[in-house]
Amino acid sequence: MSRRLLSLAALAALAACAPQSQTPPRIGATVFAVDQQGKARLCSVTAAAEPADGSSTEARMALGNDGGWCGIPVNRPGPQPFTLGLLTRRAGHGLVTIHTVGDLTRLDYAPDPGFSGEDSFAVRLVPGNAELKVAVAVQP
């Protein structure tokens, strides 16, 4: 039994001597190429990258209706994704998807087939209770 304890003590001593590495701070958000598949060819977005806690922010999105989606990337400082996104106002002519992509939360909008015109939706982001109101212009 003492031989086993001696071996464990030797391993613990070696582990204490090992160099300690620190992870460098992240500067930008990570997004992978696979997360960009299916994006609409025409997709233009104006929005705050880090919505302020407890505030209401407006964003604009313009996209072509070619069967693809257009997304608004938002994040908390760090960058870190939001834990939860709650759709508080549904889009009238499209589908909204709220999901984590790398270090971001992305709000994707895909218009109904054949739709062109104006649409809108709103999302509450948790934690922080920030609201993002999005006006969408869909081109044929």
Side-chain angles (χ1 to χ4, degrees):
M1 186 66 125
S2 65
R3 184 180 220 190
R4 189 175 208 186
L5 288 175
L6 183 61
S7 298
L8 289 175
L11 284 175
L14 284 174
C17 294
Q20 302 295 320
S21 64
Q22 293 182 357
T23 305
R26 296 184 82 136
I27 295 172
T30 301
V31 176
F32 302 99
V34 70
D35 295 320
Q36 299 301 312
Q37 292 180 357
K39 187 173 182 179
R41 278 178 269 160
L42 170 64
C43 173
S44 148
V45 175
T46 59
E50 293 181 4
D53 289 352
S55 70
S56 181
T57 305
E58 294 184 5
R60 295 207 44 81
M61 173 187 293
L63 74 152
N65 196 343
D66 60 4
W69 53 266
C70 189
I72 298 177
V74 293
N75 61 276
R76 297 184 295 150
Q80 294 179 346
F82 286 91
T83 304
L84 181 66
L86 304 169
L87 195 59
T88 58
R89 186 175 70 236
R90 292 182 50 174
H93 302 283
L95 177 67
V96 177
T97 307
I98 305 163
H99 56 117
T100 301
V101 176
D103 297 332
L104 303 169
T105 298
R106 195 172 71 200
L107 315 175
D108 292 350
Y109 173 85
D112 292 337
F115 172 74
S116 64
E118 301 293 318
D119 203 355
S120 65
F121 63 92
V123 175
R124 183 156 312 275
L125 300 164
V126 177
N129 211 28
E131 183 179 41
L132 192 61
K133 296 177 182 178
V134 183
V136 182
V138 180
Q139 299 176 7

